[in-house]
Amino acid sequence: MINEKMNAALNNQVNAELYSAYLYLSMQAYFQKMNLTGFVNWMNIQVQEEMAHARGLYDYIQERDGEIVLEAIKKPDLKWNSPLQVFEDVLKHEQYVTSLINNLADVADETKDRAAALFLQWYIKEQVEEEASVSGVLETLRMIKSDANALLLLDRELAQRTFTQPVIG
Ligand code: FEO
């Protein structure tokens, strides 16, 4: 059975991942208004990934005979003036999630929960990929500035992203 501290920290992360899904869903709506269907696709996949991250933690808590406690999900801020601003916020958010995952790994170490430490390796690696993929889009957006044609080209590229159900743990 999982210890209380580790259990509570994992429950908090379920909430953080669901908030991430909620945040990206609000960003998806922003791009829908702009008719940028490739960005819509990118965000839609991001939402699915975050739901999978939450599910992975949920299943793990259950597997360790822990207790699931679901708290309220906070409302995302909706204050973007451009795709660039959106992706600046995505990167900031993913860097924050990375810090949360690192804190979780610290709790696993403190509580000598070797199994949880091993499980969290997947999330640590996933955050490296998440930050890299977001940084890639952000760099392109910085180069694009206000070039509408270049923005449409990027939109077409983002339309190619597909979702693969991750195998977590
Ligand atoms: Fe679940 Fe985007 O980190």
mmCIF file of all heavy atoms in Angstrom, residues 17 20 24 46 50 53 94 97 127 130, ligand 1:
data_model
loop_
_atom_site.group_PDB
_atom_site.id
_atom_site.type_symbol
_atom_site.label_atom_id
_atom_site.label_comp_id
_atom_site.label_asym_id
_atom_site.label_seq_id
_atom_site.Cartn_x
_atom_site.Cartn_y
_atom_site.Cartn_z
ATOM 1 N N GLU A 17 -2.920 17.707 -13.838
ATOM 2 C CA GLU A 17 -3.017 17.219 -15.227
ATOM 3 C C GLU A 17 -4.400 17.527 -15.808
ATOM 4 O O GLU A 17 -4.513 17.877 -16.982
ATOM 5 C CB GLU A 17 -2.729 15.715 -15.298
ATOM 6 C CG GLU A 17 -1.352 15.294 -14.797
ATOM 7 C CD GLU A 17 -0.200 15.733 -15.695
ATOM 8 O OE1 GLU A 17 -0.436 16.136 -16.842
ATOM 9 O OE2 GLU A 17 0.958 15.665 -15.224
ATOM 10 N N SER A 20 -4.409 21.029 -16.730
ATOM 11 C CA SER A 20 -3.676 21.205 -17.997
ATOM 12 C C SER A 20 -4.616 20.937 -19.165
ATOM 13 O O SER A 20 -4.647 21.697 -20.141
ATOM 14 C CB SER A 20 -2.481 20.252 -18.081
ATOM 15 O OG SER A 20 -1.585 20.488 -17.035
ATOM 16 N N TYR A 24 -5.673 23.690 -22.004
ATOM 17 C CA TYR A 24 -5.475 23.508 -23.445
ATOM 18 C C TYR A 24 -6.807 23.472 -24.192
ATOM 19 O O TYR A 24 -6.871 23.862 -25.360
ATOM 20 C CB TYR A 24 -4.633 22.251 -23.705
ATOM 21 C CG TYR A 24 -3.234 22.387 -23.136
ATOM 22 C CD1 TYR A 24 -2.602 21.346 -22.469
ATOM 23 C CD2 TYR A 24 -2.554 23.601 -23.248
ATOM 24 C CE1 TYR A 24 -1.330 21.502 -21.930
ATOM 25 C CE2 TYR A 24 -1.288 23.769 -22.705
ATOM 26 C CZ TYR A 24 -0.681 22.719 -22.050
ATOM 27 O OH TYR A 24 0.571 22.885 -21.514
ATOM 28 N N GLN A 46 -3.163 17.778 -27.430
ATOM 29 C CA GLN A 46 -2.582 18.130 -26.133
ATOM 30 C C GLN A 46 -3.575 17.816 -25.002
ATOM 31 O O GLN A 46 -3.198 17.279 -23.967
ATOM 32 C CB GLN A 46 -2.210 19.622 -26.145
ATOM 33 C CG GLN A 46 -1.206 20.029 -25.096
ATOM 34 C CD GLN A 46 0.177 19.424 -25.289
ATOM 35 O OE1 GLN A 46 0.496 18.856 -26.332
ATOM 36 N NE2 GLN A 46 0.993 19.523 -24.264
ATOM 37 N N GLU A 50 -3.031 15.173 -21.911
ATOM 38 C CA GLU A 50 -3.144 15.527 -20.480
ATOM 39 C C GLU A 50 -4.147 14.623 -19.774
ATOM 40 O O GLU A 50 -3.931 14.230 -18.618
ATOM 41 C CB GLU A 50 -3.547 17.001 -20.308
ATOM 42 C CG GLU A 50 -2.573 18.003 -20.897
ATOM 43 C CD GLU A 50 -1.137 17.853 -20.414
ATOM 44 O OE1 GLU A 50 -0.896 17.126 -19.426
ATOM 45 O OE2 GLU A 50 -0.250 18.461 -21.027
ATOM 46 N N HIS A 53 -2.368 11.546 -19.070
ATOM 47 C CA HIS A 53 -1.437 11.705 -17.933
ATOM 48 C C HIS A 53 -2.199 11.587 -16.606
ATOM 49 O O HIS A 53 -1.735 10.954 -15.664
ATOM 50 C CB HIS A 53 -0.743 13.079 -17.981
ATOM 51 C CG HIS A 53 0.142 13.269 -19.174
ATOM 52 N ND1 HIS A 53 0.650 14.499 -19.534
ATOM 53 C CD2 HIS A 53 0.604 12.376 -20.097
ATOM 54 C CE1 HIS A 53 1.388 14.341 -20.633
ATOM 55 N NE2 HIS A 53 1.368 13.075 -20.988
ATOM 56 N N GLU A 94 4.104 24.267 -19.061
ATOM 57 C CA GLU A 94 4.805 22.982 -19.076
ATOM 58 C C GLU A 94 6.042 23.014 -18.164
ATOM 59 O O GLU A 94 6.373 22.009 -17.529
ATOM 60 C CB GLU A 94 5.181 22.573 -20.504
ATOM 61 C CG GLU A 94 3.999 22.101 -21.330
ATOM 62 C CD GLU A 94 3.239 20.916 -20.728
ATOM 63 O OE1 GLU A 94 3.846 20.111 -20.008
ATOM 64 O OE2 GLU A 94 2.031 20.811 -20.967
ATOM 65 N N VAL A 97 4.708 22.429 -14.817
ATOM 66 C CA VAL A 97 4.364 21.011 -14.614
ATOM 67 C C VAL A 97 5.638 20.196 -14.374
ATOM 68 O O VAL A 97 5.670 19.306 -13.520
ATOM 69 C CB VAL A 97 3.553 20.443 -15.812
ATOM 70 C CG1 VAL A 97 3.346 18.939 -15.680
ATOM 71 C CG2 VAL A 97 2.196 21.140 -15.917
ATOM 72 N N GLN A 127 8.034 15.030 -19.730
ATOM 73 C CA GLN A 127 8.136 16.497 -19.630
ATOM 74 C C GLN A 127 9.242 17.045 -20.521
ATOM 75 O O GLN A 127 9.129 18.146 -21.058
ATOM 76 C CB GLN A 127 8.350 16.920 -18.175
ATOM 77 C CG GLN A 127 7.074 16.919 -17.353
ATOM 78 C CD GLN A 127 5.904 17.641 -18.012
ATOM 79 O OE1 GLN A 127 4.890 17.038 -18.289
ATOM 80 N NE2 GLN A 127 6.042 18.936 -18.297
ATOM 81 N N GLU A 130 7.623 17.163 -23.859
ATOM 82 C CA GLU A 130 6.582 18.202 -23.904
ATOM 83 C C GLU A 130 7.239 19.579 -24.088
ATOM 84 O O GLU A 130 6.839 20.342 -24.960
ATOM 85 C CB GLU A 130 5.772 18.217 -22.598
ATOM 86 C CG GLU A 130 4.909 17.010 -22.399
ATOM 87 C CD GLU A 130 3.457 17.243 -22.792
ATOM 88 O OE1 GLU A 130 2.723 17.851 -22.020
ATOM 89 O OE2 GLU A 130 3.080 16.833 -23.890
HETATM 90 FE FE1 FEO B 1 0.941 16.410 -18.476
HETATM 91 FE FE2 FEO B 1 1.774 18.585 -20.413
HETATM 92 O O1 FEO B 1 2.161 17.634 -18.905
#
